[in-house]
Amino acid sequence: MAYTDRFRRPKEHEELLGKLTDRKTGTFATMVEAMMFAALLGRRRGERKPFDQADEPIRLALMESRDYGEVLLDMLGAVECPDDPKILSADRQPERVLIFEEYANAGLSHLQTLINRQSDQDLDTIISNLVLEGLKRPSLEEEKDDVGDILASADLDW
């Protein structure tokens, strides 16, 4: 069922979302924050994962009221459809929400895999390591120089 004012959370990851938002031991204060982190993790890994079974949907207004929540939806849509500026139009919001949901599902799947593999580490440590990994600058070999490539291909004689 498609919602215009809500986003879905994958039923498969409800236990993980519960751990992430546990009042005493959770890393995130709300499900919205946990889903936003998971979507960014999924995007960083370049993975989208569709799902059919969803648990209770979350009001989209809760994300939009967060700092950068609405921007996150728009940015994910724009990155996913770089040649389609109309992805940002109001009537295509459900498509942007779907992109967010699928990136979040992929991010949650990856996080669950890390938890299973690194059972000797607590959840905060695993998430902290992911954040630190995300903040690292890519090495020179990994960093792509688009401007340099364009200038080199233009064969300009300055």
Side-chain angles (χ1 to χ4, degrees):
M1 176 179 206
Y3 294 94
T4 56
D5 65 338
R6 299 178 185 274
F7 66 91
R8 302 172 307 149
R9 54 186 204 221
K11 189 171 187 74
E12 171 186 1
H13 296 297
E14 277 306 300
E15 185 179 330
L16 174 58
L17 284 167
K19 289 178 187 176
L20 291 169
T21 58
D22 182 87
R23 288 182 189 243
K24 293 182 181 178
T25 60
T27 306
F28 300 99
T30 66
M31 292 267 185
V32 172
E33 292 169 358
M35 290 285 290
M36 288 173 67
F37 176 81
L40 289 170
L41 179 59
R43 173 62 191 127
R44 175 145 171 87
R45 296 181 47 76
E47 295 177 22
R48 282 177 63 180
K49 185 177 176 188
F51 62 97
D52 292 323
Q53 292 191 328
D55 212 329
E56 184 81 22
I58 298 173
R59 287 183 299 127
L60 200 51
L62 292 174
M63 184 181 345
E64 292 169 342
S65 68
R66 295 279 191 278
D67 288 340
Y68 308 108
E70 191 167 6
V71 172
L72 175 61
L73 278 178
D74 291 345
M75 287 178 64
L76 289 173
V79 168
E80 189 68 15
C81 306
D83 298 327
D84 182 8
K86 291 184 180 182
I87 187 69
L88 298 176
S89 66
D91 63 323
R92 303 250 327 254
Q93 183 184 39
E95 192 175 340
R96 292 191 308 275
V97 169
L98 179 65
I99 292 167
F100 168 82
E101 291 171 345
E102 290 179 355
Y103 275 130
N105 188 37
L108 289 167
S109 292
H110 178 66
L111 186 54
Q112 186 63 61
T113 298
L114 291 176
I115 291 168
N116 294 343
R117 286 184 188 161
Q118 302 170 12
S119 58
D120 59 327
Q121 293 185 350
D122 66 6
L123 194 52
D124 277 344
T125 301
I126 292 170
I127 290 174
S128 295
N129 289 338
L130 287 169
V131 170
L132 290 173
E133 179 184 311
L135 293 173
K136 279 191 334 191
R137 274 200 85 159
S139 67
L140 292 177
E141 297 87 39
E142 294 172 352
E143 192 171 341
K144 186 173 181 184
D145 183 10
D146 291 332
V147 175
D149 291 346
I150 292 169
L151 290 174
S153 69
D155 195 28
L156 299 173
D157 186 18
W158 299 93

